[in-house]
Amino acid sequence: MLRYAWIIAFIPALSFFLILFFGKRMPKGGSEIGIAALGASFVLSVVAAVQWIDKVESTEGGEGGHALGALGQAFHVAGEAGHTVVEPVLASVSWFTLGGVDIRAGTMIDGLSVMMLFVVSLVSLLVHIYSTSYMEGDRRYTYFFAALSLFSASMLTLVIAGSTLLLLVGWELVGLCSFMLIGHWWEEGANSDAALKAFFTTRTGDIGLIIGIVILFFGAGGTFDIPTINEMAVNGEMSQTVLTTASVALLIGIIGKSGQFPLHTWLPDAMAGPTPVSALIHAATMVVAGVFLGARLYPVFFEGFHIADGGLNAMAVIGGITVIIGAALAFVQNDIKKVLAYSTISQIGYMVMALGVGAWLAAVFHLFTHAFFKADLFLGSGSVSHAVHTFDMRKMGGLRKVMPHTFWTFIISSLALAGFFPLAGFWSKDEIINTAGKADYDFFLVVGLVGAFMTAAYMTRCVWLTFFGEYRGAEHPHESPKAILVPLWILAIGAVFAGFLNATAFDIHKFTEWVEPTSAFPEVIVPEFSVPLAVFSFMVAAAGVAVAGAYYVYGMGPRGLTERNASARAGYTFLENKYYLDHLYTDLVVGSIKGPIARGTYWFNQNVIDGVVNAAGTGTRRVGRFTYDVIDQKIVDGSVNEIAAATDETGGLLRYLQSGRVQRYALILFASVGVLSLALVFAN
Amino acid sequence: MNWFDSWALTLVTFIPIVGMVVMLIIPRKEEYSIKVVALLTTVVTFGVSVAIAARFDYDAGGGLQFDVDKPWIDTISSRYHVGIDGISLPLLLLTTFITVACVIYSWNHFPKPHTPKAFLALILVLETGMVGTFIAQDLILFFVFFEIVLLPMFFMIGVWGGPNRSYASIKFFLFTMFGSAFMLLGFLAIFWQTGTFDIPELSAMAGDGIVGSTQNLIFAGLFLGFAIKVPMFPFHTWLPDAHTEAPTVGSVLLAAVLLKLGTYGFVRIALPVLPDAAIDWAPWLGLLAVIGIIYGALACLAQSDMKRLIAFSSVAHMGFVMLGIATLTDIGINAAVFGMVAHGLITGMLFFLAGSVGERYGTREMSRLGGLLTQTPRLGWILGFLAMASLGLPGLAGFWGEFPAILAAYNPLDALPLETFRSYMVIAAVGTVLAAGYLLWMLQRVAMGKVKPEFEQTDVHDINTAEWIAWSPILLFVLALGVYPDIIFGVTNDAVAQLTATAFGG
Amino acid sequence: MELNLFLMLAAFLFCTGIYGVLARRNGVLVLMSVELMLVAVNINLVAFAAFTGAIAGQVFALFVITIAAAEVGVGLALVLLVYRNLRSPDLDNLDSLKG
């Protein structure tokens, strides 16, 4: 299967065409084709994963021998990884020849691809099943499934691509599908606006990606081949300038696609699409394409940004800013999907930051675990809205009792997201923080901890508003049908157990062993598990829940801080208040984060960044209009018309000669003959 | 089959003329027979070109094939020299293919005044001119065919065009004639310097015998002729007017084939015959190309008429083609040829759509349209498909014209200024975003949203049979070329490699 | 006889002809004036031929007479058509060539 991995991507692509042409005639509107295709892809992905693990284990010659499957082996204690090299499995066919260069289309299968194949096909399959119920009765049901299939095909192509060119193909097709799916209900202007915004913003990032690919093509001596590029980067066969410019360019691509600061604004808007799409595109697959790119071409970034040297670099800084900014914004949202969207931004920020500080494995591991719990949260929010027909958390509340399954899966995933021991998020987040501390990136260690605190706090708020308290809506909520609940539980189970694949505390390094490349890969520092740090980060998360709980649930801390003029009575209040410490925490920490910082960030987001985006749009329109009206129509076209007019006027003068009277012509003729003959006479 | 080899190109060029003569004999009232004759003629022409493609030796794509070289006008030693290589073949097929589609589309779409006989006759004459330009290997022969194209198009716009047709047609005619005059001067100068009009012979000389400064002057003349036809900024202003006023089929042929005559001229004549001048001129060509990319895109954003928007988008897309040519590299010129074919299919098809939309709603104003996806879903989806193809989505044809051009600009010919071309590359990459901007903006306004109240009651029919027959092959090709670009790269590679090797020493 | 006399006669006839062509409006008269000019030329030709002894002049005169006959035929036909179409032989009405 490893050599024939293209089949995994090909099946959904075929399914896209089948649904498109025959879907409407099928009894279930084409959804059965999509589910069957994704089921097949998933099975093949699992086969590929098993084969890969098998290959790794047998190459290492360790005990274990034949792997039984990802989860079954999870608790198996691995021996020393050693320095054995497991080459990625490459397969390619000649695609076309361009200027004497044979461009090949091929697949590159290694631990990273296999992991991504597994995640993408699993989440996609679950989303397909979920959608049969969620999208029931939609006017474009068939079309929706066609687009889902195409989306899966593109994403699978992206992750198995063996050349940057094929990766670009998958990358752009993913963008196309996000456009189609976000704008699924295009009758509403807001939805198509969101779709356009998503496409433009990611496309802006794609400028960077395209330029980066071009630079690497020539830097590597005329090839798009990823293993070659990586190898040359590791062995120092490319100049530092090439590597640095390429990494900066590619980073711009990552920023665009993965919703990083400052190009993250499209992601919350993209929640206009149907909820299963949000789960698929904005949690588990599309937005992590950027992270995947970073992981895939890691040697380039590693050398280009001097990641081994510590200090600051663009990638880590961008990721770090995004962690904080995304999390802060999640506090002030009332739309449950937007909370999750900002949370996604923040979590992807973690991954990018991890790549930036040299924590390759931690980034990829977080990508893996995040896919489970974030997809679960999105699908859970969809299940809630299925019941109450709104995404506004102010109209929810108390759903714990009517929707127990949704509630429990949501709680599990929220805790996993918040990083509670021993759920998935704990292990991956801890690994990021741990590596940042060990690799001379202390600053980002702090950022990571602050982010963890904020994550726990906003998820507490979100869960509280949705599931606790009194019901505030007008609808009559009910539990969702099985097609929705089954995917929720499967993902919840993943959110619980996925982290154990690399539970370093118990000396389990399976994920490292299986996924981390052993060839053409830079020397990254992998620190030992640190108990104090783990305990501390767990406590930070717990504190986040506690503080948020205190504020939202028990109403502690003053309300309406922003409306009150506190300065006059500040000293008095300061003395009189018994809960000085509580005040300190709630007002200063939570309050400022929730109040000015979050609001300020949001204001900055909406007015400055979004404003710049909008202004760039309108400005371009104006420049366009100016170019057209003044330069094109008046100056360029005007001068053309002027020349024509001048010719016309000259002709106008001559027309008096042309009276049409033959006799006048004859007169002119004879007169000129006369003049000429006189001239002749006098000349002689 | 030796007979076929020596007559094939002549046949493919002049069958349309024969068909036209036959058609002229048929009385005007017998519309059906006239249409059948026109269709048969174009189909046979297409068939011959397919046969040529089938017998084409792809391993020797670099040299001329189906070569015919006979005396023509001895007094000026101009010869009837025709032949094709890997660069001409795709364009030849594109031409014959699009013409068939045009005739099928016109089946019951004749614009006012409804005179099928004259209209179809003009299309056939046009085909002869277009095909002839792509196969001519003699400068004078090339010029003659290049000019033959003008007249039918002039009448097509001037007679069957929109309200402002006389202005547009005259502008088109004068503008291109102006350029052709300088081009002819250039040809004559080449002749006086070298004593021959034969293109392969001149290419083999690679500029020997013409001193640098003279080359530059001659290049200036050729540049005017070709650049106006392309059209490059700032010579493009005839294009939007011509497109806006031309009947649908005229626009399609204009976009799909006529614009390629200019870029083809650069590749076939200007570069190989005057390589030293080409190196001097390339940075300026590149500059105008990227200005065109950005400028065309900006102008698109200001449009309210759908057809005019597509016309301006041609300026941007031909900018990519010209950028590829200006790099003077294998990759760049391959990209340019691919870009020509891709643009021909995609933009030609977009004009078909704009025509059909205009016909159904009686307007092409985007502010009045909307909800195409609701009223005529198939038309709407095809528009979306083409918008994606046009903005350069990988997997569809447009991408392979754009991306390799950008790729080539990073690493142009050694003699060219590297930094300049790398800046061009960045600007061109920005252009791809703008392209996404105007195309999706158009898609949103035309296809998405709700149907405007004004058209709610209008009975709008979806795609009809003639449209399906004419369009589906084009759509298939857009997909096929996108998935497997070797269909064209495989043909052009050798020819381009040979061209650059002779002209620029590899 | 002196040559001058012939030439003067010819010149007089030619001038009359020019006057007629330029000043008369009636097509028939214009045609007649053209004939006068041709006759003047003929006189010159014949006169020069007689005085120099070269036969070519006389031959040319014969040619001119033949051509003049043809010319009158065509000319009269034209005038007739003009008259039919415009109901007047007046040449001033014929100004459609005016730009």
Side-chain angles (χ1 to χ4, degrees):
Chain A
M1 201 60 238
L2 297 176
R3 290 189 59 79
Y4 301 102
W6 60 271
I7 297 173
I8 299 176
F10 181 73
I11 295 172
L14 190 70
S15 138
F16 165 69
F17 286 104
L18 287 178
I19 298 178
L20 207 59
F21 291 116
F22 307 109
K24 284 225 166 117
R25 281 170 235 162
M26 304 292 283
K28 285 187 178 153
S31 59
E32 63 270 60
I33 306 179
I35 290 173
L38 260 297
S41 281
F42 176 65
V43 169
L44 292 178
S45 299
V46 171
V47 170
V50 171
Q51 284 180 347
W52 173 258
I53 290 167
D54 211 32
K55 181 175 153 76
V56 171
E57 308 255 314
S58 62
T59 313
E60 282 171 358
E63 67 275 53
H66 297 286
L68 299 170
L71 292 175
Q73 287 280 313
F75 293 97
H76 183 84
V77 181
E80 270 299 306
H83 291 289
T84 40
V85 172
V86 187
E87 293 287 345
V89 180
L90 303 173
S92 65
V93 287
S94 182
W95 194 5
F96 58 92
T97 321
L98 178 60
V101 186
D102 179 31
I103 312 264
R104 303 184 72 80
T107 57
M108 169 184 176
I109 304 299
D110 60 359
L112 180 63
S113 319
V114 163
M115 188 276 284
M116 289 300 288
L117 281 178
F118 177 78
V119 169
V120 172
S121 56
L122 173 65
V123 174
S124 186
L125 174 64
L126 294 178
V127 165
H128 270 78
I129 296 171
Y130 180 93
S131 306
T132 52
S133 165
Y134 190 84
M135 299 299 286
E136 206 168 8
D138 190 81
R139 56 181 300 194
R140 281 187 293 278
Y141 186 80
T142 303
Y143 156 72
F144 180 81
F145 276 92
L148 274 189
S149 279
L150 182 62
F151 177 80
S152 314
S154 322
M155 192 65 201
L156 292 170
T157 310
L158 171 74
V159 300
I160 59 173
S163 75
T164 49
L165 189 62
L166 198 60
L167 193 143
L168 177 67
V169 171
W171 179 284
E172 294 282 338
L173 286 176
V174 165
L176 161 75
C177 298
S178 76
F179 173 77
M180 287 161 73
L181 288 168
I182 295 169
H184 182 71
W185 292 309
W186 38 254
E187 282 90 345
E188 295 299 324
N191 295 342
S192 58
D193 281 347
L196 257 69
K197 186 172 182 178
F199 198 85
F200 293 160
T201 317
T202 50
R203 189 106 180 149
T204 310
D206 292 352
I207 299 177
L209 178 69
I210 289 176
I211 292 176
I213 288 176
V214 168
I215 293 175
L216 287 177
F217 174 79
F218 287 106
T223 180
F224 290 115
D225 197 36
I226 291 174
T228 316
I229 291 173
N230 279 345
E231 211 154 301
M232 291 182 76
V234 168
N235 298 340
E237 288 166 40
M238 278 195 244
S239 78
Q240 189 60 44
T241 331
V242 165
L243 286 172
T244 309
T245 35
S247 345
V248 171
L250 291 175
L251 181 62
I252 294 172
I254 295 178
I255 289 172
K257 201 66 155 189
S258 286
Q260 296 297 289
F261 177 83
L263 291 181
H264 63 273
T265 52
W266 65 271
L267 214 150
D269 284 24
M271 293 302 131
T275 307
V277 172
S278 307
L280 187 57
I281 297 187
H282 305 296
T285 49
M286 170 183 161
V287 289
V288 299
V291 180
F292 175 79
L293 174 76
R296 182 49 102 203
L297 290 171
Y298 198 57
V300 175
F301 291 99
F302 196 80
E303 303 297 330
F305 283 138
H306 301 287
I307 284 173
D309 300 353
L312 290 173
N313 67 57
M315 202 170 194
V317 168
I318 292 285
I321 293 176
T322 312
V323 168
I324 302 296
I325 274 192
L329 288 171
F331 279 102
V332 288
Q333 305 302 323
N334 286 320
D335 183 321
I336 185 169
K337 273 173 82 181
K338 287 206 170 168
V339 174
L340 297 176
Y342 281 116
S343 160
T344 302
I345 292 174
S346 168
Q347 296 300 311
I348 307 271
Y350 264 110
M351 300 174 205
V352 173
M353 184 177 87
L355 288 175
V357 300
W360 186 92
L361 188 90
V364 172
F365 190 41
H366 195 54
L367 191 165
F368 178 69
T369 56
H370 176 252
F372 290 101
F373 53 74
K374 188 51 69 62
D376 196 31
L377 287 172
F378 267 114
L379 293 182
S381 76
S383 170
V384 167
S385 84
H386 199 63
V388 299
H389 300 109
T390 178
F391 287 110
D392 193 338
M393 290 191 291
R394 286 170 298 191
K395 292 183 184 146
M396 297 176 186
L399 296 176
R400 171 171 49 112
K401 288 167 196 144
V402 271
M403 308 179 71
H405 292 287
T406 310
F407 169 68
W408 281 112
T409 51
F410 204 89
I411 281 287
I412 290 170
S413 301
S414 299
L415 290 176
L417 171 61
F420 270 63
F421 179 84
L423 303 178
F426 170 77
W427 300 107
S428 53
K429 201 173 281 184
D430 183 62
E431 188 132 4
I432 295 177
I433 293 168
N434 195 5
T435 321
K438 286 285 158 54
D440 291 338
Y441 284 102
D442 300 331
F443 175 69
F444 295 103
L445 172 92
V446 179
V447 170
L449 287 172
V450 173
F453 176 77
M454 291 164 79
T455 309
Y458 68 68
M459 280 319 291
T460 309
R461 171 176 176 264
C462 174
V463 170
W464 172 258
L465 284 176
T466 310
F467 290 103
F468 291 89
E470 290 301 312
Y471 181 59
R472 297 179 291 272
E475 306 272 341
H476 297 284
H478 53 85
E479 183 59 289
S480 303
K482 271 203 181 114
I484 286 180
L485 295 180
V486 170
L488 284 181
W489 274 111
I490 293 176
L491 288 168
I493 291 167
V496 175
F497 293 109
F500 287 108
L501 277 180
N502 224 35
T504 40
F506 308 128
D507 204 19
I508 300 173
H509 299 280
K510 280 294 164 193
F511 198 82
T512 317
E513 194 183 322
W514 292 335
V515 173
E516 193 166 69
T518 41
S519 72
F521 194 70
E523 296 283 325
V524 291
I525 305 159
V526 182
E528 289 295 307
F529 181 75
S530 152
V531 177
L533 190 61
V535 171
F536 185 65
S537 79
F538 177 70
M539 277 165 63
V540 164
V545 174
V547 172
Y551 186 83
Y552 292 107
V553 182
Y554 298 106
M556 287 180 196
R559 302 278 149 174
L561 183 78
T562 45
E563 289 100 46
R564 195 166 54 184
N565 181 2
S567 59
R569 301 165 69 90
Y572 183 66
T573 316
F574 183 78
L575 286 173
E576 190 166 78
N577 204 319
K578 283 201 304 186
Y579 300 108
Y580 173 72
L581 278 176
D582 285 346
H583 274 287
L584 182 75
Y585 286 132
T586 48
D587 290 357
L588 212 71
V589 183
V590 181
S592 61
I593 291 174
K594 178 184 158 289
I597 295 181
R599 268 182 234 285
T601 326
Y602 194 58
W603 180 88
F604 183 69
N605 180 62
Q606 294 303 98
N607 293 288
V608 180
I609 300 178
D610 225 22
V612 169
V613 173
N614 290 337
T618 47
T620 319
R621 284 277 298 284
R622 282 207 194 115
V623 175
R625 176 147 294 286
F626 177 80
T627 323
Y628 176 68
D629 285 347
V630 178
I631 302 182
D632 190 68
Q633 291 297 307
K634 297 215 173 95
I635 299 178
V636 181
D637 206 23
S639 57
V640 174
N641 285 336
E642 270 308 304
I643 295 174
T647 321
D648 191 42
E649 266 174 37
T650 327
L653 288 175
L654 287 172
R655 71 193 277 261
Y656 294 109
L657 274 180
Q658 194 183 353
S659 60
R661 293 192 185 162
V662 188
Q663 284 171 319
R664 175 135 349 139
Y665 295 164
L667 179 62
I668 295 168
L669 182 72
F670 286 120
S672 12
V673 169
V675 171
L676 278 178
S677 43
L678 278 178
L680 214 62
V681 169
F682 284 116
N684 286 346
Chain B
M1 282 298 272
N2 263 339
W3 174 87
F4 182 76
D5 285 356
S6 52
W7 281 93
L9 288 181
T10 310
L11 278 178
V12 83
T13 316
F14 293 106
I15 286 177
I17 288 285
V18 174
M20 184 204 77
V21 171
V22 172
M23 211 164 72
L24 288 182
I25 298 167
I26 303 171
R28 193 188 298 180
K29 282 179 187 161
E30 310 221 354
E31 267 185 28
Y32 186 75
S33 346
I34 288 174
K35 287 180 196 166
V36 169
V37 170
L39 182 62
L40 271 181
T41 315
T42 51
V43 168
V44 169
T45 317
F46 180 59
V48 175
S49 62
V50 168
I52 291 175
R55 283 188 54 79
F56 191 83
D57 181 3
Y58 293 95
D59 294 330
L64 282 184
Q65 301 187 23
F66 299 93
D67 206 13
V68 176
D69 192 1
K70 298 260 186 276
W72 182 39
I73 313 175
D74 256 345
T75 38
I76 53 167
S77 57
S78 169
R79 302 176 65 82
Y80 178 75
H81 188 182
V82 294
I84 51 169
D85 63 2
I87 299 176
S88 320
L89 183 67
L91 295 165
L92 171 71
L93 284 169
L94 172 74
T95 309
T96 51
F97 173 65
I98 287 284
T99 318
V100 177
C102 283
V103 171
I104 296 174
Y105 180 81
S106 334
W107 206 256
N108 40 25
H109 278 94
F110 285 102
K112 283 177 188 170
H114 181 86
T115 42
K117 186 171 168 180
F119 194 75
L120 290 171
L122 286 179
I123 291 184
L124 293 180
V125 178
L126 199 59
E127 186 174 15
T128 295
M130 298 185 300
V131 169
T133 314
F134 290 133
I135 62 163
Q137 299 293 341
D138 180 281
L139 289 179
I140 295 299
L141 195 63
F142 178 90
F143 181 78
V144 168
F145 283 123
F146 196 83
E147 294 301 296
I148 284 181
V149 170
L150 278 186
L151 270 176
M153 191 45 81
F154 172 74
F155 285 115
M156 217 178 255
I157 301 173
V159 178
W160 288 271
N164 206 5
R165 57 179 176 271
S166 58
Y167 171 74
S169 59
I170 289 171
K171 193 170 181 180
F172 161 75
F173 194 82
L174 289 185
F175 222 133
T176 28
M177 274 303 273
F178 173 79
S180 308
F182 286 94
M183 186 176 85
L184 186 62
L185 274 182
F187 287 173
L188 294 177
I190 292 173
F191 179 73
W192 293 121
Q193 297 283 324
T194 62
T196 177
F197 280 122
D198 194 63
I199 296 175
E201 208 176 311
L202 287 164
S203 310
M205 285 186 216
D208 285 348
I210 315 180
V211 287
S213 53
T214 321
Q215 275 203 21
N216 276 334
L217 276 176
I218 299 175
F219 198 96
L222 301 192
F223 169 77
L224 268 180
F226 297 141
I228 287 175
K229 200 79 167 188
V230 170
M232 290 181 83
F233 175 87
F235 306 112
H236 63 276
T237 53
W238 62 269
L239 183 86
D241 286 330
H243 269 309
T244 316
E245 299 304 326
T248 303
V249 171
S251 283
V252 172
L253 286 171
L254 194 59
V257 188
L258 259 67
L259 305 188
K260 277 72 205 179
L261 301 183
T263 41
Y264 177 78
F266 275 109
V267 175
R268 170 64 67 216
I269 299 172
L271 260 49
V273 176
L274 305 164
D276 301 340
I279 290 171
D280 286 349
W281 272 77
W284 302 105
L285 286 185
L287 179 68
L288 290 181
V290 290
I291 291 179
I293 293 173
I294 299 295
Y295 183 94
L298 290 176
C300 278
L301 287 170
Q303 299 310 316
S304 61
D305 182 319
M306 194 178 159
K307 211 172 169 192
R308 207 170 166 80
L309 189 152
I310 301 169
F312 267 111
S313 82
S314 284
V315 178
H317 284 124
M318 294 313 276
F320 279 102
V321 174
M322 284 313 297
L323 180 64
I325 293 176
T327 62
L328 306 180
T329 55
D330 275 4
I331 299 180
I333 297 174
N334 271 313
V337 180
F338 199 107
M340 290 186 222
V341 177
H343 174 261
L345 293 171
I346 296 168
T347 309
M349 190 58 218
L350 275 171
F351 276 118
F352 270 137
L353 280 184
S356 285
V357 168
E359 191 189 47
R360 282 170 173 75
Y361 290 94
T363 180
R364 294 187 308 251
E365 280 297 313
M366 288 184 285
S367 53
R368 288 173 64 195
L369 296 168
L372 204 63
L373 279 166
T374 326
Q375 243 175 347
T376 55
R378 296 202 173 86
L379 207 59
W381 285 120
I382 293 180
L383 183 68
F385 175 80
L386 287 165
M388 287 298 165
S390 185
L391 64 81
L393 191 84
L396 300 175
F399 178 72
W400 301 111
E402 268 180 26
F403 179 74
I406 294 174
L407 187 69
Y410 182 78
N411 218 10
L413 194 72
D414 291 339
L416 299 176
L418 198 63
E419 285 73 22
T420 317
F421 272 87
R422 290 194 176 163
S423 337
Y424 293 167
M425 173 190 81
V426 176
I427 300 172
V430 172
T432 61
V433 179
L434 292 176
Y438 61 75
L439 283 162
L440 293 185
W441 189 49
M442 172 187 83
L443 185 69
Q444 187 191 21
R445 284 185 298 174
V446 174
M448 294 175 167
K450 296 192 181 79
V451 183
K452 296 279 155 64
E454 135 178 54
F455 295 115
E456 254 170 10
Q457 306 302 322
T458 323
D459 179 33
V460 184
H461 57 93
D462 213 333
I463 300 177
N464 61 34
T465 320
E467 286 170 334
W468 269 129
I469 299 173
W471 293 352
S472 40
I474 303 182
L475 298 175
L476 271 182
F477 266 107
V478 170
L479 184 63
L481 292 181
V483 174
Y484 192 62
D486 213 35
I487 299 174
I488 289 183
F489 284 138
V491 183
T492 56
N493 255 321
D494 289 348
V496 173
Q498 165 127 21
L499 189 154
T500 49
T502 330
F504 309 110
Chain C
M1 282 286 243
E2 279 198 50
L3 181 58
N4 273 357
L5 286 176
F6 292 101
L7 295 185
M8 280 163 71
L9 172 66
F12 172 73
L13 284 176
F14 194 77
C15 290
T16 318
I18 285 181
Y19 170 78
V21 167
L22 294 185
R24 302 313 293 238
R25 290 177 167 187
N26 193 315
V28 181
L29 284 175
V30 171
L31 212 55
M32 287 166 68
S33 307
V34 172
E35 286 305 311
L36 273 182
M37 288 158 69
L38 288 170
V39 165
V41 173
N42 272 350
I43 289 174
N44 272 8
L45 284 170
V46 173
F48 279 120
F51 276 85
T52 57
I55 198 74
Q58 304 204 7
V59 173
F60 255 106
L62 283 174
F63 268 118
V64 171
I65 290 166
T66 323
I67 298 292
E71 181 250 318
V72 167
V74 176
L76 275 176
L78 280 173
V79 172
L80 208 62
L81 279 175
V82 169
Y83 184 78
R84 255 191 219 161
N85 279 315
L86 302 178
R87 294 267 129 225
S88 133
D90 196 341
L91 288 183
D92 279 0
N93 297 334
L94 296 176
D95 58 354
S96 338
L97 274 180
K98 189 170 154 190

